[in-house]
């Protein structure tokens, strides 16, 4: 017994010690969590984590290993005891990691190795750990937004170590909190960085769009891009037509680094391996040139200019690969962030647009000079005016627009971005003049100028009339490379002409019709004078009938309002009855629930009776045994045993009697509760049926009220219409009387109107001829 008690006490001591460790770990975890959440940057977060974790675990080293998608990574933060090698900043390459372990850590794997020589590790892995004096380690993943960001690792270098469950749990939970903190930090940093990058991109875009030449565009680009990226060098590498060599024509470089400006670089492999990829928009990111699988000559070239990391994006002008925009990091290796890659590629696209714009402006200037020298004075007047100018590329299929000026945007409502790359037919509609379009197509086929007026449509769908002057632009060999279009908005003039034509046509038709109509007016006036008295009498009778209709409509409206009030009262009564029924239904349900509880209790009582019955039976047996034993004993103790036996027998008989009574009472309770449940179920069904009937009645009353409301509205409308008709008939009656007086004078006026209409018809015909001449 003493050994058992000693073992129990020892277990209690161990349990208390483990509990104390867990409490301390919880306190440390809470303290570290507050520190890493209050950190001002991701670097401070990582530093606080590794320092505090090493203190809690009493380990020789704790580090954060930041992973890249390819399975390689860098030690981004480290806390290490004195005397052991420091590995912060070291890039570690493990070819087996991505294939064997990366998915497991992505799924939350925590790995504890007490002795690296007994963990079935590969030779290369053991060699890597020995290089940094590791004898035992503890590894847990750090997930950020559900993605594996890195590993939090603890090393024991002085000796092998058995990691305790409490230590593993603490380390795993710390990694989870670190992931949350980095996720919040990254979200806040990314959001601010994105806003800053967007502002910088907008600023640079404005500057290069305002530049007057390609040289100014490129110089502005490399200078501003290096400032935004904080890189060591940004340059523009212009490719030569052979695709195998090029020259750095613009550069911004940090002091002390070699310059590449003007240096011609030849790479025979570039044309075969890379040029097509860059034409398709490839952006190449190299965080480390030594692990980027570069050729020896390429690697030597980059080392010549001190490059350790670079980022390359193509610049396309007019659909052709013009060159490469490149940024270098020379002071150290650099992991280019997605936001930086996105900024650099978007900037390259804006540079291509700006170069296109400068190139097109040069072509437009040449085309305008050529156009002003070849067209008539009217055409030169158009060119000097505030005209919409477009340029279509005749060398591409379907002649897409490659330039339009602000006046074109103002005339059509389409922005330059919406118009570039489309054939100008997107301005046309179903009713654009076919003859004008045929004239344009013929001029394009014959490569000559033309001038037409045609109907187009703005972006908002409104029609617009333009006076289009189109002319070809030829290169030095005389080949047509572009078509220039000058457009003048003549919608106002065209609308005026159209209105004049419509008005004159209407006047001609009206004059022609009126000429015949007026000639019949004289004969019709006498006839009208005869039947006007009869119409006047009918109108007065109609007014009387309408008055009677108004009175009856008002009476019907009053009756409908009274019926509606009765329906509302009945609906309120039904609602009150329904509330009382629902209240009674709730009480019945409560009673049913109590009956069920009573039945459950009776079953429990019945269950308790069985043990009592067993006790009574055992007591009877005990009494019999006592009696038998008393018969064997001859001394005075036999009388005592008989007395006890008799008392036990009496107690057993009383217990049996009580049990029988309990069972009878339980049976009666169960019978009663069953009957009550049946009655309540019947009442439940009755209440359901009654409630449904009440609801149906309410719905019918609601329908009746709706119908009464509709009838009331209808009667009101009838009354209003009748009243209006009565007013109209009264007015009509007075008007008819006035007409009888006017008709008597109409015959003389109709004769004069006939001669006037003839003169008007001749004048309108002259006006239409003048409109057609416009």
């Amino acid at each position: 017994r003493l050994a058992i008690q000693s073992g129990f006490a020892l277990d209690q001591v161990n349990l208390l010690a483990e509990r104390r460790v867990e409490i301390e770990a919880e306190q440390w975890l809470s303290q570290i969590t507050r520190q890493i959440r209050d950190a001002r940057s991701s670097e401070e977060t990582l530093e606080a984590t590794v320092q505090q974790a090493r203190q809690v675990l009493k380990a020789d080293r704790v580090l954060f290993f930041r992973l890249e998608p390819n399975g390689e990574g860098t030690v981004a933060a480290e806390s290490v005891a004195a005397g052991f090698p420091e590995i912060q900043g070291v890039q570690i390459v493990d070819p087996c990691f991505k294939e064997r372990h990366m998915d497991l850590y992505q799924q939350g794997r925590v790995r504890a190795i007490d002795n690296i020589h007994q963990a079935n590790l590969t030779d290369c892995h053991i060699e890597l750990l020995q290089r940094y004096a590791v004898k035992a380690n503890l590894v847990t993943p750090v997930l950020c937004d559900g993605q594996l960001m890195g590993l939090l690792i603890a090393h024991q270098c002085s000796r092998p170590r058995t990691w305790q469950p409490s230590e593993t749990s603490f380390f795993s939970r710390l990694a989870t909190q670190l992931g949350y903190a980095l996720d919040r930090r990254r979200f806040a940093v990314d959001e601010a960085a994105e806003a800053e990058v967007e502002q910088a991109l907008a600023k640079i875009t404005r500057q290069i769009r305002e530049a007057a030449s390609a040289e100014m565009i490129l110089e502005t680009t490399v200078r501003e891009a290096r400032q935004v990226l904080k890189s060591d060098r940004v340059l523009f590498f212009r490719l030569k037509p052979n695709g195998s060599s090029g020259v750095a024509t613009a550069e911004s470089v940090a002091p002390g680094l070699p310059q590449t400006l003007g240096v011609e670089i030849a790479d025979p492999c570039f044309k075969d391996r890379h040029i097509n990829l860059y034409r398709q928009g490839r952006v190449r990111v190299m965080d480390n040139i030594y692990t980027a699988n570069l050729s020896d000559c390429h690697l030597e070239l980059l080392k010549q200019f001190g490059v350790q990391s670079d980022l390359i994006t193509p610049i396309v002008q007019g659909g052709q690969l013009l060159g490469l925009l490149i940024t270098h990091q020379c002071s150290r290796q650099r992991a280019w962030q997605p936001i930086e890659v996105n900024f650099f590629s978007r900037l390259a696209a804006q540079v291509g647009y700006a170069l296109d714009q400068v190139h097109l402006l040069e072509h437009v200037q040449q085309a305008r000079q050529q156009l002003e020298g070849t067209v008539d004075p009217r055409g030169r007047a158009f060119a000097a005016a505030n005209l919409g100018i477009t340029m279509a590329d005749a060398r591409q299929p379907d002649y897409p627009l490659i330039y339009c000026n602000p006046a074109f945007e103002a005339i059509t409502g389409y922005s330059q971005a919406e118009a570039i790359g489309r054939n100008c037919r997107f301005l046309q509609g179903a009713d654009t003049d076919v003859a004008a379009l045929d004239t344009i197509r013929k001029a394009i086929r014959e490569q000559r100028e033309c001038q037409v007026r045609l109907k187009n449509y703005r972006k908002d769908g409104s029609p617009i009339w333009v006076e289009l002057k189109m002319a070809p632009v030829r290169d030095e060999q005389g080949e047509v490379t572009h078509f220039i279009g000058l457009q003048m908005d003549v919608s106002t003039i065209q609308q005026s002409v159209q209105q004049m034509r419509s008005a004159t046509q209407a006047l001609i038709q009206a004059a022609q019709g009126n000429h015949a109509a007026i000639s019949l007016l004289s004969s019709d006036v006498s006839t009208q004078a005869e039947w006007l008295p009869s119409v006047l009498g009918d109108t007065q009778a109609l007014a009387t009938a309408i008055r009677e209709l108004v009175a009856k409509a008002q009476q019907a409206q009053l009756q409908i309002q009274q019926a509606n009030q009765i329906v509302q009262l009945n609906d309120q009564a039904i609602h009150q009855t329904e509330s009382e029924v629902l209240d009674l239904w709730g009480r019945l349900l409560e009673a049913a629930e109590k009956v069920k509880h009573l039945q459950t209790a009776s079953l429990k009582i019945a269950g308790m009776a069985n043990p009592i019955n067993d006790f009574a039976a055992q007591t009877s047996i005990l009494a019999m045994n006592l009696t038998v034993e008393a018969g064997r004993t001859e001394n005075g103790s036999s009388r005592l045993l008989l007395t006890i036996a008799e008392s036990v027998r009496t107690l057993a008989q009383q217990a049996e009697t009580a049990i029988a009574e309990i069972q009878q009472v339980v049976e009666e309770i169960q019978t009663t509760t069953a009957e009550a449940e049946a009655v309540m179920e019947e009442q439940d069904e009755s209440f359901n049926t009654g409630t449904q009937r009440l609801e149906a009645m309410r719905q019918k009353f609601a329908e009746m009220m709706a119908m009464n409301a509709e009838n009331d509205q209808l009667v009101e409308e009838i009354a209003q219409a009748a009243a209006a008709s009565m007013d109209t008939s009264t007015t009509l009656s007075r008007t008819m009387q006035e007409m009888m007086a006017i008709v008597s004078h109409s015959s003389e006026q109709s004769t004069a109107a006939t001669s006037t209409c003839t003169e008007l018809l001749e004048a309108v015909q002259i006006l239409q001829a003048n409109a057609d001449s416009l």
Side-chain angles (χ1 to χ4, degrees):
R1 294 177 60 187
L2 180 60
I4 295 174
Q5 291 178 355
S6 298
F8 178 75
L10 184 59
D11 290 341
Q12 291 293 323
V13 171
N14 292 335
L15 183 63
L16 290 174
E18 291 177 3
R19 182 56 183 161
R20 187 178 300 109
V21 171
E22 291 177 358
I23 293 174
E24 290 178 355
E26 288 290 339
Q27 293 174 347
W28 274 109
L29 182 63
S30 177
Q31 177 181 344
I32 299 173
T33 299
R34 287 195 298 271
Q35 290 182 5
I36 63 179
R37 289 184 177 178
D38 294 339
R40 292 172 295 180
S41 65
S42 298
E43 290 73 17
E44 288 188 8
T45 300
L46 294 174
E47 290 295 335
T49 301
V50 296
Q51 291 176 7
Q52 297 295 334
R54 191 170 76 85
Q55 182 178 353
V56 173
L57 293 176
K58 298 180 176 60
D60 294 327
R61 182 189 293 114
V62 173
L63 60 92
F64 174 73
F65 181 63
R66 189 188 302 276
L67 277 169
E68 301 296 337
N70 60 3
E72 301 175 2
T74 306
V75 178
E78 178 192 33
S79 175
V80 60
F84 296 108
E86 297 181 1
I87 58 176
Q88 184 167 353
V90 173
Q91 187 172 19
I92 299 176
V93 179
D94 184 356
C96 303
F97 180 81
K98 185 174 183 180
E99 298 177 359
R100 298 183 181 181
H101 307 291
M102 198 164 182
D103 289 341
L104 296 175
Y105 284 117
Q106 175 68 53
Q107 298 169 12
R109 171 198 192 185
V110 178
R111 192 177 191 187
I113 299 177
D114 300 339
N115 189 334
I116 65 172
H117 298 288
Q118 299 176 359
N120 195 26
L121 301 178
T122 61
D123 294 339
C124 60
H125 195 176
I126 293 176
E127 182 182 354
L128 177 65
L129 294 175
Q130 287 179 336
R131 189 186 311 165
Y132 304 116
V134 180
K135 291 183 171 59
N137 69 353
L138 178 61
V139 185
T140 181
V142 176
L143 301 177
C144 191
D145 194 22
Q147 299 299 319
L148 182 62
M149 183 180 182
L151 303 175
L152 189 62
I153 305 173
H155 288 163
Q156 198 67 34
C157 303
S158 56
R159 56 180 172 80
R161 172 173 178 170
T162 301
W163 302 100
Q164 300 300 318
S166 59
E167 296 171 334
T168 305
S169 175
F170 160 77
F171 207 52
S172 175
R173 294 171 63 190
L174 177 60
T176 301
Q177 293 299 325
L178 176 60
Y180 293 154
L182 291 176
D183 197 14
R184 286 192 296 271
R185 176 65 58 187
R186 187 183 68 172
F187 177 78
V189 171
D190 287 352
E191 191 175 31
E194 286 178 2
E196 184 178 352
V197 167
E198 288 295 332
Q199 293 176 358
L201 183 62
K203 172 188 173 184
I204 300 174
T205 300
R206 287 194 301 270
Q207 291 178 350
I208 63 179
R209 288 290 180 90
E210 294 171 356
S213 65
E215 290 73 17
M216 292 180 61
I217 291 174
L218 295 174
E219 290 175 0
T220 301
T221 299
V222 297
R223 182 184 66 251
E224 297 296 330
R226 191 169 77 85
Q227 183 177 353
V228 173
L229 293 175
K230 298 179 176 60
S231 59
D232 295 327
R233 181 188 293 114
V234 175
L235 62 96
F236 172 69
F237 181 70
R238 183 183 295 274
L239 284 170
K240 290 189 174 182
N242 59 18
S244 299
S245 61
V247 179
T249 59
E251 180 188 35
S252 174
V253 61
L257 293 176
Q259 294 185 358
T260 65
L261 187 63
V263 176
E264 183 173 354
I265 299 174
D267 185 355
C269 302
F270 182 83
K271 185 175 182 180
D272 297 333
R273 297 182 181 179
H274 307 292
I275 194 168
N276 287 332
L277 296 175
Y278 284 117
R279 281 173 179 162
Q280 296 169 9
R282 171 199 191 185
V283 177
R284 191 172 191 187
V285 181
M286 286 187 281
D287 299 339
N288 184 350
I289 64 172
Y290 298 101
T291 60
N293 194 26
L294 300 177
S295 61
D296 293 339
C297 59
H298 193 177
L299 191 61
E300 287 298 324
L301 177 65
L302 294 176
K303 290 169 60 177
Q304 177 183 344
F305 297 106
V307 180
Q308 296 197 43
S309 303
D310 68 356
L311 176 60
I312 307 172
T313 183
I315 290 183
V316 178
Q317 179 184 352
Q320 301 297 321
L321 180 62
L322 181 66
L324 303 175
L325 188 63
I326 306 172
T327 181
H328 290 159
Q329 196 68 34
C330 304
S331 57
R332 57 180 172 82
Q333 294 173 0
R334 174 170 179 172
W336 302 102
Q337 301 302 312
I339 190 173
E340 297 170 335
V341 177
N342 180 51
F343 160 77
F344 206 54
S345 61
R346 291 172 63 191
L347 176 60
Q350 293 298 328
V351 172
Y353 296 151
L355 292 173
D356 276 340
Q357 183 177 2
V358 169
H359 183 68
L360 290 173
L361 287 175
E362 293 174 354
H363 274 283
V364 168
Q365 186 65 27
Q366 295 173 3
R368 290 186 64 178
Q369 293 173 358
Q370 179 180 356
L371 191 62
E372 290 176 0
T374 57
V375 299
D376 57 11
R378 183 180 180 186
R380 288 196 296 272
F382 282 166
N386 187 17
L387 304 177
I389 302 176
T390 59
M391 176 179 285
D393 193 342
R395 299 167 298 181
Q396 297 188 41
D398 204 30
Y399 296 86
L401 294 179
I402 60 173
Y403 172 77
C404 64
N405 69 339
F408 174 84
E409 295 176 327
I411 292 173
T412 64
Y414 288 94
S415 66
Q416 187 181 66
E418 294 170 323
I420 298 301
R422 304 171 68 181
N423 186 283
C424 61
R425 72 172 65 91
F426 73 90
L427 298 171
Q428 301 168 10
D431 56 349
T432 300
D433 186 14
V434 177
L437 297 178
D438 289 340
T439 301
I440 295 174
R441 296 188 187 105
K442 186 176 180 181
I444 292 175
R445 286 195 305 268
E446 298 176 358
Q447 297 185 346
R448 59 175 175 81
E449 65 182 68
C450 71
Q451 181 172 331
V452 294
R453 179 179 294 184
L454 73 162
K455 183 179 183 181
N456 285 336
Y457 286 87
R458 296 185 179 91
K459 182 179 179 180
D460 60 7
S462 60
I464 176 176
W465 285 89
V466 295
E467 190 80 18
L468 172 64
K469 183 73 174 182
M470 186 186 71
V473 177
R474 303 178 186 274
D475 59 13
E476 292 79 0
Q477 289 76 30
E479 296 293 331
V480 174
T481 60
H482 299 82
F483 276 95
I484 292 290
L486 303 178
Q487 300 182 22
M488 174 183 286
D489 185 357
V490 294
S491 298
T492 304
I493 299 174
Q494 188 67 24
Q495 289 174 0
S496 300
V497 171
Q498 289 293 108
Q499 292 173 358
M500 185 180 296
R501 288 176 178 173
S502 299
T504 54
Q505 187 64 30
L507 285 172
I508 290 174
Q509 294 176 356
Q512 291 175 344
N514 290 337
H515 188 272
I518 293 174
S519 64
L520 298 174
L521 183 61
S522 297
S523 59
D524 291 341
V525 168
S526 58
T527 304
Q528 294 173 4
E530 295 177 357
W531 53 259
L532 277 176
S534 176
V535 172
L536 180 60
D538 294 339
T539 303
Q540 292 173 345
L542 176 62
T544 302
I546 290 174
R547 291 191 186 95
E548 295 177 357
L549 177 60
V550 170
K552 291 180 180 180
Q554 291 174 347
Q555 183 178 1
Q557 186 177 15
L558 179 61
Q559 293 176 354
I560 289 175
Q561 290 175 352
Q562 293 175 352
N564 196 19
Q565 292 175 357
I566 295 172
V567 170
Q568 289 177 349
L569 292 175
N570 289 335
D571 182 66
Q572 293 175 0
I574 289 173
H575 180 71
Q576 180 65 28
T577 304
E578 184 180 8
S579 299
E580 294 173 355
V581 169
L582 291 175
D583 183 61
L584 180 58
W585 191 1
R587 294 179 183 177
L588 285 174
L589 291 176
E590 292 177 0
E593 189 66 26
K594 292 179 180 179
V595 168
K596 289 181 180 179
H597 286 306
L598 179 61
Q599 187 176 13
T600 303
S602 66
L603 292 175
K604 290 182 179 179
I605 294 172
M608 294 170 59
N610 292 328
I612 297 175
N613 193 13
D614 294 339
F615 173 77
Q618 293 175 3
T619 304
S620 298
I621 294 173
L622 179 61
M624 292 176 61
N625 293 334
L626 288 173
T627 304
V628 172
E629 186 66 25
R632 295 176 181 176
T633 306
E634 296 178 357
N635 53 21
S637 61
S638 60
R639 288 192 297 274
L640 178 59
L641 292 173
L642 289 172
T643 301
I644 293 173
E646 184 62 28
S647 299
V648 170
R649 185 180 296 107
T650 301
L651 181 60
Q653 290 174 355
Q654 291 175 355
E656 290 176 354
T657 302
I659 290 170
E661 293 176 354
I662 289 173
Q663 289 178 344
Q664 183 178 359
V665 171
V666 169
E667 291 176 357
E668 292 177 356
I669 290 174
Q670 290 178 345
T671 302
T672 304
T673 54
E675 293 174 353
E677 286 181 355
V679 171
M680 288 180 182
E681 289 177 357
E682 293 178 358
Q683 294 298 324
D684 190 8
E685 294 178 357
S686 299
F687 278 123
N688 285 332
T689 304
T691 304
Q692 293 174 356
R693 290 176 180 174
L694 286 174
E695 183 62 26
M697 292 177 63
R698 287 192 64 191
Q699 292 179 356
K700 291 182 179 180
F701 274 111
E703 293 174 358
M704 291 175 62
M705 292 177 67
M707 293 175 61
N708 285 341
E710 293 178 358
N711 292 334
D712 191 10
Q713 180 67 25
L714 181 59
V715 169
E716 177 67 22
E717 293 175 356
I718 292 173
Q720 292 177 357
S725 299
M726 182 174 63
D727 294 339
T728 302
S729 64
T730 303
T731 303
L732 180 61
S733 179
R734 291 197 300 268
T735 302
M736 295 295 290
Q737 292 175 353
E738 294 174 357
M739 286 181 62
M740 291 180 66
I742 294 172
V743 167
S744 60
H745 301 286
S746 297
S747 180
E748 297 176 359
Q749 295 177 356
S750 62
T751 302
T754 301
S755 59
T756 302
C757 185
T758 301
E759 297 174 356
L760 176 62
L761 181 58
E762 295 175 353
V764 168
Q765 289 174 345
I766 295 173
L767 180 62
Q768 186 179 23
N770 294 332
D772 291 336
S773 64
L774 293 176

